[in-house]
Amino acid sequence: MSLTFHWFLPTNGDSRHVVGGGHGSPATASGRDRPPTVAYLSQIARAAEDLGFTGALTPTGAWCEDAWLTTAMVSQNTERLKFLVAFRPGFVSPTLAAQMASTFQRQSGGRLLLNVVTGGESHEQRAYGDFLDKDDRYRRTDEFLHVVRELWQGRTVDLEGDHLRVADARLTRLPDPVPEVYFGGSSPIAGRVAAKHVDVYLTWGEPPAAVAEKIAWIRRLAAEEGRTLRFGIRLHVITRDTSAQAWAEAHRLLDGFDQETVRSVQAGLARSESEGQRRMLALHGGGSRDALEIHPNLWAGIGLVRGGAGTALVGSHEEVAERIKEYHALGIDEFVLSGYPHLEEAYWFGEGVLPRLRTEGLWAHPFREEAGQGTPPQAPLAGVGR
């Protein structure tokens, strides 16, 4: 199976420094360096499409622009790139969400993927009028995905659940194709929901041994449901012609972390109810700048100022390709990547790492090679080396 790579649309703003935010933390001031306008996000999306990324993830939360609206607009400026839209199932009815997805598929030419985010922070959920606790939010997600998937199959749904009720629900127009559902979660109840409903289970970038344990856990739960899933990983990336250049860039980013900002962000993230966030914090000891390389070429520095995904692959193009192969050997087939700034870093990865994986038969350009056009050399971005 050819590896699949997705990029990231920074709807919280972009910068040559790390833009913080997520899991209840506001976006940092650096997010104003490059505001998340449709024009700028479209520039990133077009670059990702040209380089061979299959899709682009957009986050959800109070710290960023709305993912549905933003991707609907950006999709009009691209041709083939898919959009992995993060959304929280407690904020809209399942019937409306199924209808929105169906409309998105028709208007975009079938380019919607869905990243279901149950919501790990009760204080942020309450701001949107959602007062369920974490476990009940997952139980509601279970009911939500049941309704949505039944509707997408053209069935009429009646449900009186513990959290959701629908009567005589149906769609007049079905999505074609049915959007694939991506989902991440590290708590026991999250694993059970994933096993029952999702197509791709996503993990944040933990060391390979921890990722292997997660994959085995989800595979066992899915087998109990009579299902098989695909697996993906969410990482940042800093890749350069040499290892020294890549680590110099990582250290430049680290030098830009104001100690008070690190302290404030870490204090906020320490209150998180998310098991995945707890595991991210444990990788760097809750704010320590020491020993941030937690596995060869795996750097936990991003997590000092950013909630959610907090690790990056750092190294030469060859080293980063080797780490990707290491994760792939565990069962990871999809990589959701990002880097600061997102426009330039897409070119570093797309021109430096992807050709190496293509040479080894592990990746093919999803748009050009399926049409038999091959992959012509890409013109480097001004100011960015290959």
Side-chain angles (χ1 to χ4, degrees), residues 3-7 45-55 81 346 349-350 354 363-368 375 378:
L3 297 178
T4 299
F5 292 93
H6 306 279
W7 198 239
R46 286 192 298 268
E49 182 176 69
D50 190 48
L51 289 163
F53 292 93
T54 294
L81 189 74
F349 185 87
L354 289 181
W363 174 80
H365 196 296
F367 309 133
R368 292 188 180 136
T375 305
Q378 301 295 307

Side-chain angles (χ1 to χ4, degrees), residues 1-283:
M1 175 185 292
S2 176
L3 297 178
T4 299
F5 292 93
H6 306 279
W7 198 239
F8 185 85
L9 293 182
T11 57
N12 56 328
D14 203 6
S15 176
R16 293 185 180 274
H17 303 281
V18 175
V19 180
H23 278 263
S25 301
T28 53
S30 54
R32 294 192 289 270
D33 293 351
R34 297 185 188 180
T37 63
V38 171
Y40 178 63
L41 296 175
S42 296
Q43 190 177 7
I44 296 172
R46 286 192 298 268
E49 182 176 69
D50 190 48
L51 289 163
F53 292 93
T54 294
L57 171 67
T58 46
T60 182
W63 55 289
C64 57
E65 298 288 352
D66 177 75
W68 284 103
L69 294 174
T70 302
T71 54
M73 289 183 276
V74 173
S75 70
Q76 302 306 296
N77 297 319
T78 57
E79 297 178 358
R80 307 292 295 278
L81 189 74
K82 296 181 181 181
F83 295 91
L84 181 51
V85 175
F87 81 104
R88 302 188 185 187
F91 295 169
V92 297
S93 80
T95 307
L96 178 58
Q99 182 183 16
M100 291 167 63
S102 184
T103 297
F104 199 115
Q105 288 296 65
R106 285 191 296 278
Q107 300 297 343
S108 70
R111 293 192 283 146
L112 175 67
L113 306 168
L114 287 177
N115 179 29
V116 176
V117 179
T118 296
E121 315 307 330
S122 291
H123 69 282
E124 187 177 14
Q125 296 291 125
R126 288 194 292 269
Y128 287 92
D130 179 15
F131 288 83
L132 294 181
D133 63 25
K134 179 184 171 183
D135 281 0
D136 277 336
R137 290 198 294 270
Y138 275 107
R139 294 184 184 100
R140 179 179 59 196
T141 297
D142 187 6
E143 295 176 2
F144 184 98
L145 290 175
H146 166 74
V147 173
V148 167
R149 285 208 172 275
E150 289 291 292
L151 291 172
W152 284 343
Q153 295 301 316
R155 301 185 181 102
T156 299
V157 182
D158 294 282
L159 174 70
E160 290 196 20
D162 293 332
H163 303 287
L164 297 175
R165 295 177 63 190
V166 298
D168 198 31
R170 59 185 179 274
L171 296 181
T172 58
R173 302 184 69 184
L174 302 181
D176 182 21
V178 171
E180 290 192 309
V181 175
Y182 291 64
F183 180 94
S186 299
S187 63
I189 193 169
R192 292 194 293 272
V193 172
K196 289 175 63 176
H197 296 291
V198 311
D199 300 295
V200 180
Y201 176 83
L202 289 175
T203 179
W204 285 331
E206 299 180 35
V211 171
E213 290 178 359
K214 268 191 175 180
I215 291 174
W217 168 54
I218 295 295
R219 276 181 173 159
R220 175 178 55 79
L221 293 176
E224 292 172 0
E225 298 289 338
R227 304 182 69 240
T228 58
L229 309 182
R230 303 198 312 278
F231 294 91
I233 192 167
R234 172 77 180 95
L235 288 157
H236 305 278
V237 64
I238 303 172
T239 179
R240 295 293 185 270
D241 294 335
T242 69
S243 183
Q245 290 171 342
W247 284 108
E249 177 64 10
H251 294 148
R252 184 192 70 80
L253 293 175
L254 184 63
D255 288 343
F257 296 172
D258 174 76
Q259 190 57 41
E260 177 56 29
T261 299
V262 173
R263 187 205 63 77
S264 176
V265 169
Q266 292 302 304
L269 295 178
R271 296 190 293 270
S272 173
E273 300 169 35
S274 166
E275 175 63 16
Q277 184 63 69
R278 184 194 66 77
R279 294 167 70 108
M280 283 285 104
L281 293 179
L283 296 178

Side-chain angles (χ1 to χ4, degrees), residues 206-209 247 291-300 312-314 323 326-327:
E206 299 180 35
W247 284 108
L292 289 173
E293 189 177 7
I294 55 176
H295 181 77
N297 306 109
L298 183 64
W299 185 60
L313 295 179
V314 181
R323 294 290 77 75
E326 184 177 7
Y327 281 114

Side-chain angles (χ1 to χ4, degrees), residues 239-241 315-323 352-353 356:
T239 179
R240 295 293 185 270
D241 294 335
S316 68
H317 305 313
E318 292 83 359
E319 290 170 335
V320 170
E322 286 301 313
R323 294 290 77 75
V353 178
R356 287 167 169 79

